[in-house]
Amino acid sequence: MTDIHPREILICTIAKLLDGVRHVAVGASSPIPASGAMLLRALKQQAGETGPRISILGSVEHNFFTNGSAELFDCAGQGRIDAFFLGGGQIDGQGNINLVGTGDYPQTQVRWPGSFGSAYLYYVVPRVILFREEHTPRAMVEKVDFISAPGLSDEGVYRPGGPIALLTSKALFRFDKDRRGFELESVHPGYDLAAIKEATGFKFAHDDVPAQTALPDPQVLKLLRERVYDEVAETYPDFAAQMRREIAQPLPRAS
């Protein structure tokens, strides 16, 4: 277990970001966030504690909803979901996300799936984690072309929810509502501050020498590779098989 897959760092980081939640919901096609939630639950249960309730849309075993997203929205509006994950084709420095497309709407040059319920969930879920593996100036932009869901609201707007962090393949940012922007918390192995600045289209606060994202210890890695990948395979069999296949061979080092 000397080689740690880059995605395993993301999974373990997500587990830490979720610590303390009672109920986390995960949208469809989100194997890495789902794995992070399952890892936290496994760690809590291993310690004899109560783990979080996990609702994964599209799952049979890990889904408490019987009416799909309608129940998810009701549950979130009642304050019974503590954490959720959102991404976007574009994410900017104020936490705005774009799920519609690039260019001037409605004449978008590139069309994405659409905003769906992102704006609603962004407002009502208190701990929203922005997650996008791609970390390039194309994805992390100065200003999104279309605001599917705003990261901030005007003063006086009732909004219990909002972003707390942005996690990418290169770094972890914390969202500071007071300064209305992101602060670099840590960089993943293989990267430094210069690389993060080059890959990010928006400005962010940072230390002169940012911390490195913590690596999982052998016990956590063992739990992830055995129990968690077994559990996540029920909903994401291809992802679990791919992870097991890739950790069985040497990994290329980040440049």
Side-chain angles (χ1 to χ4, degrees):
M1 292 188 181
T2 54
D3 283 329
I4 301 173
H5 195 288
R7 284 182 164 179
E8 292 179 320
I9 297 173
L10 302 183
I11 291 169
C12 293
T13 302
I14 286 171
K16 292 178 181 178
L17 291 171
L18 291 175
D19 193 17
V21 305
R22 301 162 301 166
H23 185 185
V24 52
V26 182
S29 304
S30 301
I32 294 176
S35 298
M38 290 179 179
L39 176 59
L40 175 63
R41 180 175 62 186
L43 288 167
K44 291 293 185 182
Q45 292 175 350
Q46 191 177 67
E49 302 173 15
T50 302
R53 182 178 184 179
I54 302 173
S55 298
I56 304 175
L57 292 181
S59 171
V60 175
E61 184 176 350
H62 306 286
N63 188 4
F64 295 90
F65 302 128
T66 58
N67 193 24
S69 57
E71 272 186 284
L72 167 66
F73 295 155
D74 286 345
C75 196
Q78 294 163 6
R80 296 192 288 124
I81 293 179
D82 302 309
F84 191 71
F85 297 86
L86 287 174
Q90 294 177 330
I91 300 173
D92 70 22
Q94 289 195 317
N96 300 315
I97 64 173
N98 176 6
L99 291 158
V100 170
T102 61
D104 292 332
Y105 182 83
Q107 282 13 32
T108 50
Q109 301 161 354
V110 176
R111 190 70 167 90
W112 295 320
S115 305
F116 194 48
S118 58
Y120 172 73
L121 293 172
Y122 216 7
Y123 269 71
V124 299
V125 178
R127 197 181 300 199
V128 176
I129 297 169
L130 300 178
F131 177 71
R132 177 76 193 267
E133 277 196 272
E134 180 184 343
H135 189 150
T136 65
R138 179 180 71 169
M140 304 297 147
V141 299
E142 181 179 4
K143 184 178 180 181
V144 296
D145 292 345
F146 182 90
I147 299 178
S148 293
L152 295 161
S153 296
D154 294 335
E155 187 175 350
V157 174
Y158 176 70
R159 182 174 181 175
I164 64 160
L166 165 63
L167 179 64
T168 74
S169 60
K170 292 182 172 67
L172 171 65
F173 299 85
R174 289 283 185 177
F175 191 75
D176 187 335
K177 290 184 179 180
D178 293 331
R179 65 173 299 273
R180 304 177 72 84
F182 289 104
E183 179 177 357
L184 181 63
E185 178 158 315
S186 65
V187 297
H188 304 335
Y191 301 101
D192 57 18
L193 179 59
I196 303 306
K197 284 185 173 182
E198 184 178 0
T200 310
F202 58 78
K203 294 182 180 180
F204 54 88
H206 59 82
D207 292 334
D208 292 337
V209 182
Q212 185 177 85
T213 306
L215 301 179
D217 61 41
Q219 291 76 23
V220 172
L221 206 56
K222 185 174 187 294
L223 190 63
L224 171 60
R225 292 180 174 180
E226 294 178 357
R227 172 177 168 174
V228 174
Y229 288 160
D230 281 345
E231 292 180 345
V232 82
E234 181 269 340
T235 310
Y236 305 108
D238 292 343
F239 173 78
Q242 178 188 9
M243 290 302 299
R244 284 179 161 145
R245 184 170 59 250
E246 292 182 1
I247 61 179
Q249 53 191 348
L251 296 169
R253 300 301 180 185
S255 58

